Amino acid sequence: MSLIVAIRGDGSHAKRLKNILLEKDKAIKFINLSRNIKSWPELKDVYNVAGVIITSPNDTHLEYVQASSRVFSDSLIYCEKPFINNTFSLSKARKLVVSEKLLLGLNLRNSEIEDILALWRDKYKLGEPIHFCVCVSYPFGLRDSYAKSWKSSKLASPTGVLENLAIHYIDFFNQLHRFKNILAIQSNYKQEVPRTVDIIGTGANGISCNIHCSYAEGYCNTIKANFENGCIVFSDEKVELFSPTLNIDANTGLSIMPPMIDSLEIGLEQIFKKSLYTSMSLFYDCIKDQEYAFMKLEEQRIQNLSYLDAIENILG
């Protein structure tokens, strides 16, 4: 029997998710959920829905997850980030995370970045992590399409680039180091929605963090992870390791750039695409295997609650 997945949202991202699932299983059937939640029970009476995907504008996520949990009570729910974008939704969001089978579309959780950091840290004895730095920007906010997009709407996307882009890196750092302190500086407003954000924080183990994301600046896509004895740099085309940190010019006695001692021919764009595929694979495996789902969803529940704590600290 074919698995049936219900989807709310019909944009380009919904199509990407569908294509990944079809690559996993060509027999999967999709049904579209309308904006009218009252019509959803009719579908339940006809279809045995194994999973629900929510990929609609940000301000609708919580409402649609609540409706999915009522109507398709036995189904796994995959909700795109950010899940919530305000503090008054926190209580409802936490209850859903605890009680429902819920995956969030924060796919850097499922990326190779963490594995690469751990591998090289151990192999090259890099020591403790001391700073995590992200710079991701592209001038989407300067295009005519931005003004027409819900991402520029104060109602649908009040924190702008924070909830649409920076949120991936906030969640990723929080997964690795658990924010102890966190501050968001939002700027470059257009239509009352910020196009630039700087996240400054520290992790529970003392590591510092700076995440800079913008829809108003030229293209940039880099992640730097600094350790006591080296720096790992992720860019569009490759991952490079520079070590040792203390590198002195023999002639001048001045510090110079550490040498690059290892690299991987895999870039951030490829890593991000693969992480989305891995996230959808997790969704597929969970709707196929209830025992596997029970184990993985407990892990996700812990991560999701910690993610909501970070959101509360940023927006509170």
Side-chain angles (χ1 to χ4, degrees):
M1 181 182 294
S2 298
L3 289 171
I4 296 175
V5 174
I7 295 187
R8 169 80 284 275
D10 57 0
S12 58
H13 191 61
K15 292 180 176 64
R16 280 192 289 270
L17 301 184
K18 282 183 178 180
N19 288 337
I20 292 172
L21 289 174
L22 286 171
E23 189 175 333
K24 298 284 294 181
D25 184 349
K26 292 182 179 179
I28 283 183
K29 305 296 182 185
F30 297 100
I31 58 172
N32 294 321
L33 298 173
S34 76
R35 292 186 179 91
N36 180 15
I37 292 171
K38 292 180 180 179
S39 69
W40 292 12
E42 299 173 7
L43 296 173
K44 183 186 178 183
D45 293 339
V46 178
Y47 300 101
N48 181 21
V49 174
V52 180
I53 295 176
I54 307 299
T55 174
S56 51
N58 293 353
D59 62 318
T60 66
H61 288 179
L62 183 64
E63 179 186 13
Y64 286 143
V65 170
Q66 287 178 307
S68 299
S69 68
R70 290 194 307 269
V71 178
F72 308 106
S73 56
D74 296 326
S75 303
L76 175 66
I77 303 168
Y78 176 94
C79 179
E80 263 305 329
K81 48 75 182 165
F83 185 31
I84 60 168
N85 55 14
N86 55 70
T87 54
F88 57 80
S89 298
L90 275 164
S91 177
K92 293 178 181 177
R94 285 194 173 101
K95 288 178 181 178
L96 286 166
V97 165
V98 170
S99 64
E100 302 302 325
K101 295 186 290 184
L102 179 63
L103 298 176
L104 299 182
L106 296 157
N107 47 286
L108 283 184
R109 292 179 182 181
N110 303 307
S111 74
E112 297 169 275
I113 297 175
E114 183 177 358
D115 293 336
I116 293 170
L117 294 176
L119 174 66
W120 279 356
R121 177 187 177 184
D122 182 62
K123 181 178 180 180
Y124 293 102
K125 297 179 172 56
L126 299 180
E128 294 299 315
I130 58 176
H131 184 67
F132 182 78
C133 180
V134 175
C135 181
V136 179
S137 63
Y138 54 96
F140 173 46
L142 305 184
R143 301 179 65 174
D144 292 340
S145 57
Y146 173 78
K148 300 173 183 177
S149 166
W150 59 260
K151 291 183 179 181
S152 69
S153 163
K154 185 180 179 181
L155 176 63
S157 182
T159 64
V161 70
L162 189 160
E163 65 191 77
N164 291 305
L165 182 57
I167 201 69
H168 283 293
Y169 307 98
I170 292 168
D171 178 71
F172 181 72
F173 179 85
N174 191 58
Q175 176 180 286
L176 291 183
H177 303 292
R178 290 290 185 270
F179 277 109
K180 184 177 180 181
N181 300 292
I182 185 169
L183 172 68
I185 303 171
Q186 301 180 80
S187 60
N188 206 291
Y189 285 75
K190 184 174 184 179
Q191 299 174 187
E192 300 184 79
V193 176
R195 295 183 294 176
T196 300
V197 67
D198 286 277
I199 305 294
I200 303 168
T202 57
N205 55 359
I207 181 175
S208 60
C209 168
N210 177 261
I211 299 168
H212 176 82
C213 292
S214 180
Y215 283 154
E217 300 173 6
Y219 183 83
C220 181
N221 192 22
T222 60
I223 297 175
K224 293 183 180 180
N226 288 280
F227 295 83
E228 291 175 313
N229 195 37
C231 176
I232 300 174
V233 181
F234 295 79
S235 63
D236 270 347
E237 297 178 354
K238 61 183 68 175
V239 186
E240 298 173 300
L241 169 59
F242 298 88
S243 182
T245 300
L246 182 60
N247 191 35
I248 306 296
D249 186 290
N251 296 319
T252 66
L254 300 176
S255 297
I256 57 176
M257 181 77 178
M260 191 268 287
I261 63 170
D262 205 344
S263 65
L264 295 172
E265 297 299 316
I266 178 173
L268 280 174
E269 185 175 353
Q270 185 179 351
I271 287 173
F272 204 86
K273 286 181 179 178
K274 189 172 181 180
S275 72
L276 183 61
Y277 183 90
T278 304
S279 296
M280 275 291 96
S281 295
L282 174 61
F283 174 79
Y284 175 76
D285 291 340
C286 285
I287 60 177
K288 282 276 290 184
D289 186 335
Q290 294 296 317
E291 193 171 315
Y292 176 80
F294 179 82
M295 175 184 68
K296 298 302 291 186
L297 290 173
E298 185 56 34
E299 294 175 7
Q300 293 291 310
R301 188 172 289 113
I302 294 169
Q303 291 178 347
N304 290 343
L305 287 171
S306 180
Y307 164 73
L308 291 176
D309 289 341
I311 293 299
E312 182 176 20
N313 289 330
I314 291 172
L315 301 180

